[in-house]
């Protein structure tokens, strides 16, 4: 296996980690409107991700940086062609982070409500647009012989990509509902489980259709195995959620995300960005990669730094592992 193949796998792993962790972040943001009944319950949901949401976004920075360094032509074509949706995602992530930090700065109902609106909409849009972007990458976009994107925004909004966006939105929201059931107590925990059950059924339908479409369009035996794992994990996650085994349900919803991402990357390989104009102009792991020397240096750095980052983040989750409920939220007199 060549180093550019190794880095294709590593980038897939980084995106998997990002979607696994940031996926339930986005889901919690959506559930602040769909699940929480009052301001106290919204605080409970936000507090479940309060200690970890910013650390989860590090995976996005690492995935983007690794793509830039390992596959500069892929990075350049991707960010020029997908400029508008990626800009919307970036703005949403900035607004969302500011909303988490500023929501409690003033004890004013309107102030808090406006920031809560920001959390909701800045969670909905990225959850949807990430699916659109990755679906378009797998499907292929107009690229010329000079590796330049030649299409427009409307080329990205095709039925396959829109279905991909619907899948990531529902899957992340389901993942967030399972996480909420795992991290909360009392009535909100029970409602989170019921919500996860309903969302899981919708997700299963949409994800099965999207992954089957992917398999027919550009799949192979390896992606078929990953597809089967994704569907099976989602079904078992639903059964575990129904029986109140939230830990297993959350782990298996994470397996669903990982297997779904693996399906896309396995269907994509050895391309990194297919050309719908002419397959001969597609970006591949070989023609879009950096020099072997650059990849060797990156491999040494990643081998040293990645285990440290994972260990620190695992420790953070262990420290903040306990459940919380509405009784943990201080009343107005304690603000």
């Amino acid at each position: 296996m060549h180093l550019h193949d190794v880095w294709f796998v590593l980038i897939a792993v980084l995106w998997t980690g990002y979607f696994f962790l940031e996926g339930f972040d986005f889901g919690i943001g959506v559930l602040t409107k769909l699940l929480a009944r009052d301001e106290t319950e919204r605080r409970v949901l936000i507090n479940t991700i309060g200690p970890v949401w910013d650390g989860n976004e590090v995976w996005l920075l690492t995935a983007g940086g690794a793509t830039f360094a390992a596959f500069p032509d892929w990075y350049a074509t991707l960010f020029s062609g997908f400029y508008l949706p990626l800009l919307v995602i970036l703005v949403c992530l900035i607004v969302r982070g500011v909303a988490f930090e500023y929501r409690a700065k003033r004890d004013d109902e309107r102030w808090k409500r406006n920031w809560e609106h920001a959390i909701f909409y800045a969670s909905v849009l990225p959850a949807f647009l990430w699916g659109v972007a990755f679906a378009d990458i797998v499907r292929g976009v107009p690229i010329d012989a000079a590796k330049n994107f030649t299409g427009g925004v409307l080329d990205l909004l095709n039925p396959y990509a829109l279905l991909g966006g619907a899948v990531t939105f529902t899957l992340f929201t389901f993942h967030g509902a399972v996480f909420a059931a795992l991290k909360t107590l009392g009535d909100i925990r029970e409602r989170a489980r019921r919500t996860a059950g309903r969302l899981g059924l919708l997700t299963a339908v949409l994800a099965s259709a999207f992954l089957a479409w992917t398999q027919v369009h550009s799949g192979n035996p390896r992606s078929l195995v990953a597809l089967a794992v994704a569907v099976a994990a989602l079904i078992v996650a639903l059964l575990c959620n129904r029986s109140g085994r939230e830990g297993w349900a959350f782990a298996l919803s994470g397996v669903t995300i990982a297997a779904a991402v693996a399906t896309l990357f396995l269907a994509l390989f050895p391309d990194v960005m297919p050309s719908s104009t002419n397959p001969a102009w597609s970006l591949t792991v070989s023609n879009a990669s950096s020099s072997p020397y650059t990849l060797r240096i990156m491999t040494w750095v990643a081998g040293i730094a990645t285990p440290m980052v994972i260990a620190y983040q695992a420790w953070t989750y262990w420290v903040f592992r306990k459940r919380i409920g509405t009784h943990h939220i201080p009343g107005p007199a304690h603000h």
Side-chain angles (χ1 to χ4, degrees):
M1 178 179 286
H2 296 94
L3 276 180
H4 51 66
D5 298 328
V6 172
W7 273 97
F8 180 85
V9 174
L10 290 177
I11 288 171
V13 170
L14 291 172
W15 280 111
T16 300
Y18 173 67
F19 288 140
F20 178 91
L21 297 172
E22 190 82 322
F24 67 77
D25 271 8
F26 290 142
I28 292 293
V30 174
L31 292 171
T32 57
K33 294 289 187 184
L34 301 184
L35 179 63
R37 291 176 174 173
D38 53 34
E39 197 268 342
T40 301
E41 290 191 349
R42 284 191 288 274
R43 287 184 64 185
V44 169
L45 289 177
I46 292 172
N47 286 354
T48 62
I49 61 172
V52 298
W53 68 266
D54 48 355
N56 294 343
E57 292 186 353
V58 171
W59 288 80
L60 172 61
L61 300 176
T62 309
T67 304
F68 171 76
F71 299 100
D73 288 336
W74 183 14
Y75 183 92
T77 305
L78 176 65
F79 276 77
S80 61
F82 291 51
Y83 179 81
L84 184 58
L86 292 178
L87 177 62
V88 172
I89 290 173
L90 177 61
V91 171
C92 286
L93 294 179
I94 294 172
V95 170
R96 190 167 168 268
V98 172
F100 283 137
E101 298 295 335
Y102 276 76
R103 178 188 170 278
K105 295 298 184 183
R106 286 174 55 184
D107 188 16
D108 178 78
E109 183 179 347
R110 183 177 179 183
W111 171 273
K112 292 179 179 178
R113 185 170 61 250
N114 288 337
W115 285 120
E116 287 165 0
H117 289 328
I119 291 172
F120 174 75
Y121 290 110
S123 299
V124 169
L125 285 173
F128 176 77
L129 289 175
W130 279 126
V132 172
F134 271 84
D136 276 316
I137 291 174
V138 174
R139 176 179 177 269
V141 293
I143 300 174
D144 62 18
K147 303 178 182 178
N148 295 317
F149 177 83
T150 58
V153 174
L154 294 180
D155 292 306
L156 306 179
L157 301 178
N158 53 81
Y160 175 73
L162 294 175
L163 178 58
V167 169
T168 52
F169 173 74
T170 55
L171 180 56
F172 291 166
T173 308
F174 166 70
H175 195 42
V178 174
F179 181 76
L182 177 64
K183 289 288 292 180
T184 57
L185 294 164
D187 181 57
I188 191 171
R189 174 188 177 188
E190 296 302 319
R191 283 188 281 114
R193 282 177 52 197
R194 292 195 296 269
T195 300
R198 292 191 292 269
L199 285 169
L201 293 174
L202 176 60
T203 302
V205 173
L206 294 176
S208 297
F210 175 72
L211 294 177
W213 193 342
T214 302
Q215 183 65 27
V216 171
H217 179 266
S218 54
N220 52 62
R222 297 186 300 271
S223 63
L224 181 60
V225 172
L227 186 158
V229 172
V231 174
L234 181 56
I235 293 172
V236 179
L238 280 168
L239 295 175
C240 290
N241 175 75
R242 185 174 182 179
S243 62
R245 305 182 69 177
E246 290 102 343
W248 280 106
F250 178 70
L252 287 164
S253 68
V255 171
T256 302
I257 292 174
V261 174
T263 301
L264 297 181
F265 274 90
L266 288 170
L268 184 62
F269 185 82
D271 292 338
V272 293
M273 207 163 180
S275 171
S276 60
T277 306
N278 186 338
W281 296 341
S282 297
L283 302 183
T284 68
V285 292
S286 57
N287 69 20
S289 68
S290 295
S291 67
Y293 177 75
T294 300
L295 295 178
R296 282 198 299 271
I297 297 297
M298 290 175 60
T299 303
W300 279 105
V301 173
I304 296 171
T306 304
M308 297 171 60
V309 173
I310 293 175
Y312 172 76
Q313 195 160 22
W315 175 77
T316 303
Y317 276 90
W318 175 255
V319 170
F320 295 102
R321 66 188 181 278
K322 292 185 178 180
R323 297 176 183 266
I324 62 173
T326 53
H327 61 282
H328 291 117
I329 304 299
H334 296 87
H335 283 192

